[in-house]
Amino acid sequence: SQQGEEDPQALSIQEGENATMNCSYKTSINNLQWYRQNSGRGLVHLILIRSNEREKHSGRLRVTLDTSKKSSSLLITASRAADTASYFCATDSGTYKYIFGTGTRLKVLA
Amino acid sequence: KAGVTQTPRYLIKTRGQQVTLSCSPISGHRSVSWYQQTPGQGLQFLFEYFSETQRNKGNFPGRFSGRQFSNSRSEMNVSTLELGDSALYLCASSLAFGGGGSPLHFGNGTRLTVT
């Protein structure tokens, strides 16, 4: 069963714009991670945020976590065509496995 | 450092056959997890191996099995293939098992098509 649900399912923006995608989950977590997947390839780890953190930055990525709302958001600033991919959140709820969300398909138009 | 290697990249099998997929983790990683990815169900956790022992298992039938060798390489086997087994099978390695904040490093997957 899916723990995380990403929203929106698909997003299309122009190069240079910011892209925001959200992840909601159901149970309390130890940490939450975001991954990127280019078409037909494996997932690449982007960033991890722990349950006691509220915001984290990595380059053009900004992740926020609101444990009271059981939600996280990933912001990609100044998007590039190369950012076109699917983005997944993955939660660690102490069940000794990561549960992945359904993903957001991002398309950045040049 | 070499990444996670999965072989073969593509497979076409017939219903009722069995298949074995292989995964070589990043050197030094002792945990190997397997995921099934389909358009309808997303990424579903199959199982995780650490130090040659299965530590966790997802909700899949017994037709799905795996093992891990002393060099941490892992194989996944699916017997009596069904059409619904068509999917991208992803292997991921990490330093720690069971999450714990250790990022997963994925291979590019094996695309299995069952006809």
Side-chain angles (χ1 to χ4, degrees):
Chain A
S1 63
Q2 299 290 353
Q3 158 78 308
E5 296 286 336
E6 278 94 339
D7 168 58
Q9 288 189 328
L11 179 61
S12 187
I13 59 173
Q14 295 292 326
E15 209 168 26
E17 293 181 337
N18 294 343
T20 300
M21 51 206 90
N22 305 294
C23 168
S24 59
Y25 55 91
K26 299 171 186 172
T27 62
S28 61
I29 60 171
N30 296 327
N31 64 76
L32 183 146
Q33 302 181 38
W34 284 90
Y35 288 81
R36 182 188 74 230
Q37 183 180 34
N38 290 92
S39 181
R41 303 185 74 83
L43 283 74
V44 175
H45 178 260
L46 295 175
I47 196 166
L48 176 150
I49 187 165
R50 299 191 184 279
S51 60
N52 60 354
E53 297 175 311
R54 290 297 166 257
E55 188 171 312
K56 209 160 180 184
H57 296 255
S58 176
R60 293 184 296 113
L61 306 179
R62 174 180 167 249
V63 169
T64 60
L65 179 64
D66 187 334
T67 53
S68 66
K69 294 182 180 177
K70 291 188 171 59
S71 68
S72 174
S73 68
L74 170 68
L75 167 69
I76 304 174
T77 59
S79 295
R80 306 165 182 168
D83 294 327
T84 294
S86 291
Y87 292 81
F88 295 86
C89 65
T91 53
D92 174 3
S93 299
T95 58
Y96 299 104
K97 60 187 177 189
Y98 291 120
I99 303 297
F100 283 81
T102 50
T104 292
R105 293 188 310 278
L106 172 66
K107 188 168 186 178
V108 181
L109 304 168
Chain B
K1 227 178 201 181
V4 177
T5 304
Q6 289 189 248
T7 56
R9 190 78 173 89
Y10 300 95
L11 265 178
I12 300 176
K13 291 286 187 178
T14 305
R15 268 179 302 176
Q17 289 186 315
Q18 75 164 19
V19 66
T20 299
L21 313 181
S22 179
C23 173
S24 293
I26 289 173
S27 178
H29 286 192
R30 293 162 63 192
S31 169
V32 174
S33 302
W34 289 89
Y35 289 82
Q36 180 195 66
Q37 186 177 28
T38 59
Q41 296 295 316
L43 275 110
Q44 300 287 320
F45 174 79
L46 281 155
F47 29 65
E48 178 180 13
Y49 286 85
F50 186 86
S51 294
E52 302 178 64
T53 302
Q54 187 180 92
R55 301 297 177 127
N56 208 344
K57 192 177 189 309
N59 190 25
F60 278 82
R63 300 185 297 107
F64 292 81
S65 63
R67 58 178 176 169
Q68 187 179 34
F69 302 96
S70 58
N71 61 358
S72 294
R73 191 178 71 84
S74 177
E75 287 183 347
M76 189 191 106
N77 185 274
V78 188
S79 61
T80 321
L81 284 165
E82 301 176 359
L83 293 178
D85 297 333
S86 293
L88 181 66
Y89 289 88
L90 294 163
C91 160
S93 73
S94 64
L95 284 169
F97 86 93
S102 184
L104 297 175
H105 299 263
F106 283 84
N108 284 326
T110 294
R111 172 75 63 185
L112 172 65
T113 302
V114 182
T115 62

